[in-house]
Amino acid sequence: MPRPLWTGAISFGLVTIPIKIISATEDRSIRFHQVHLEDMGRVRTRKVCELDDEVVPQDEIGKGYELTKDQVVPVTDEELDEMPLPTAKAIEIVAFVDADSIDPIRISDSYFLAIDGQVAAKPYTLLRKALERSDKVAVAKFAWHGRERLGLLRVRENAIVLHSMRWPDEIRSPESLMPKAADLDDDEIERAVQLTDTLAMDDISSFRDQYRDALEELIEAKTEGKELPEPAEGEEREPGKVVDLMAALNASVKAAKEARGEPGGGATVHEIRPSRKTTAKKEIALAKKTAAKKTAASKKITARKPATKKRSAS
């Protein structure tokens, strides 16, 4: 069991559930040290005071809020801990809502909530079953790392999960990013829908980080003095290149079916204007070539023996 990140209680009306917060995810990225390439010595980051140009030890470093360029207000950890927040040591449930009403863009990190002592088993199970039976999720407030946060509680595999959420005013409006109106016909839209159906999956648990696999293979080869693996060929695209949209959609659907070994890979391509036949043929040929390269690269990476060496964090 990982080390608890926070201990407190869930406040559920007049019910109190002692809990511990456990991270629900782990970072599997391969990390590198910064080194001096001439002698491979570690390059360290030093914390230096900009006034006296001296290295400052950690016990002399604190927090300060800059009012003006010349005026900084110091704030101690003790002062932050003593702030009169009702959510200082409690996850206070404030509402129950439908899960579909929560915009995924607001959801941030995820944590499992574990009971803190056997006394919490019954109220914990009560809240879990109430969430399951009502088909709702709980919105809660809690204080953590020097600020009050908004959270979402839901059930996953008989455990209560806490998702930290952003406040409404922390979400930027995408209005300025919207493209200008574009003309699309129904055939193009229907073909795009067909592509989504072709690529539809019920389970994405089989996906894995192929970049990390390739990086592990690179490190293993360099460690054992072997020849470095050849780079996988990827598709090159010209930036800003205008393509025949319908031809690209037709070719994409066909390539996706062929990659899955599904019937219909040789389906009739949607007829396009004569002036674009040459472009359509080029797009289809390019899509076939790209699909073949991706399939070969995928098989090559899958067949590689994953390295189990040197995955330590920096």
Side-chain angles (χ1 to χ4, degrees), residues 76-115:
T76 67
D77 291 336
E78 291 76 15
E79 290 170 335
L80 293 175
D81 291 339
E82 293 174 1
M83 288 178 60
L85 277 177
T87 55
K89 293 296 289 183
I91 300 174
E92 181 184 356
I93 295 177
V94 294
F96 292 90
V97 300
D98 292 329
D100 293 342
S101 67
I102 302 297
D103 188 342
I105 198 173
R106 296 183 59 184
I107 296 178
S108 184
D109 297 324
S110 303
Y111 308 91
F112 287 125
L113 300 184
I115 60 172

Side-chain angles (χ1 to χ4, degrees), residues 8 15 27 50 90 107 111 122 131 154 235 255 259-260 263 289 298 312:
V15 177
D27 187 354
E50 65 179 18
I107 296 178
Y111 308 91
K122 185 172 182 178
L131 290 171
R154 69 177 183 90
E235 179 184 1
R260 289 190 172 197
K289 184 178 179 181
S298 177
S312 59

Side-chain angles (χ1 to χ4, degrees), residues 198 250-260 265 284 287-288 290-291 295:
T198 305
N250 281 324
S252 299
V253 171
K254 185 177 180 181
K257 289 183 176 180
E258 289 176 348
R260 289 190 172 197
I284 293 171
K288 286 182 177 180
T290 301
T295 301

Side-chain angles (χ1 to χ4, degrees), residues 33-313:
H33 294 307
Q34 287 187 320
V35 297
H36 185 198
L37 294 178
E38 290 188 6
D39 54 19
M40 301 310 292
R42 284 285 301 275
V43 176
R44 305 283 184 175
T45 300
R46 301 193 307 163
K47 297 182 178 180
V48 178
C49 175
E50 65 179 18
L51 297 180
D52 58 21
D53 202 30
E54 295 289 334
V55 177
V56 182
Q58 186 60 42
D59 59 0
E60 294 182 14
I61 298 176
K63 298 180 176 67
Y65 180 79
E66 185 177 314
L67 287 177
T68 65
K69 187 175 181 180
D70 300 320
Q71 186 177 10
V72 177
V73 178
V75 179
T76 67
D77 291 336
E78 291 76 15
E79 290 170 335
L80 293 175
D81 291 339
E82 293 174 1
M83 288 178 60
L85 277 177
T87 55
K89 293 296 289 183
I91 300 174
E92 181 184 356
I93 295 177
V94 294
F96 292 90
V97 300
D98 292 329
D100 293 342
S101 67
I102 302 297
D103 188 342
I105 198 173
R106 296 183 59 184
I107 296 178
S108 184
D109 297 324
S110 303
Y111 308 91
F112 287 125
L113 300 184
I115 60 172
D116 192 4
Q118 191 57 34
V119 68
K122 185 172 182 178
Y124 183 97
T125 305
L126 174 67
L127 175 58
R128 189 196 76 207
K129 289 187 175 296
L131 290 171
E132 290 174 331
R133 188 167 300 184
S134 65
D135 203 23
K136 301 280 188 182
V137 294
V139 176
K141 287 183 176 183
F142 65 105
W144 197 9
H145 293 172
R147 57 175 295 193
E148 187 171 58
R149 299 169 183 261
L150 201 61
L152 176 72
L153 274 64
R154 69 177 183 90
V155 178
R156 184 182 190 274
E157 298 179 5
N158 293 326
I160 299 176
V161 182
L162 168 67
H163 301 284
S164 62
M165 291 202 304
R166 296 189 179 276
W167 297 95
D169 60 357
E170 292 180 318
I171 306 300
R172 294 186 176 126
S173 171
E175 184 176 356
S176 62
L177 307 176
M178 294 299 98
K180 295 180 179 179
D183 293 329
L184 289 172
D185 58 44
D186 288 339
D187 286 343
E188 291 170 329
I189 298 173
E190 285 299 322
R191 202 58 168 160
V193 172
Q194 185 177 354
L195 177 58
T196 65
D197 291 339
T198 305
L199 295 176
M201 296 182 68
D202 294 328
D203 181 15
I204 60 172
S205 61
S206 61
F207 289 131
R208 58 181 291 118
D209 186 348
Q210 293 184 335
Y211 177 82
R212 192 185 75 205
D213 291 343
L215 190 55
E216 288 176 341
E217 184 177 4
L218 171 66
I219 293 173
E220 182 180 42
K222 296 197 71 171
T223 302
E224 299 179 0
K226 297 179 180 179
E227 184 178 350
L228 298 184
E230 295 182 2
E233 293 185 11
E235 179 184 1
E236 294 184 3
R237 297 176 183 265
E238 297 180 20
K241 180 182 178 182
V242 178
V243 300
D244 187 301
L245 188 56
M246 180 58 79
L249 288 170
N250 281 324
S252 299
V253 171
K254 185 177 180 181
K257 289 183 176 180
E258 289 176 348
R260 289 190 172 197
E262 296 180 2
T268 303
V269 178
H270 187 279
E271 184 179 354
I272 58 176
R273 290 188 292 272
S275 60
R276 295 186 178 181
K277 283 184 178 179
T278 303
T279 304
K281 290 179 179 179
K282 288 182 178 180
E283 293 291 345
I284 293 171
L286 176 61
K288 286 182 177 180
K289 184 178 179 181
T290 301
K293 287 181 178 179
K294 289 183 176 179
T295 301
S298 177
K299 288 181 178 178
K300 182 178 179 182
I301 292 177
T302 302
R304 290 171 180 162
K305 177 183 177 182
T308 57
K309 300 180 179 180
K310 301 191 184 262
R311 201 185 291 175
S312 59

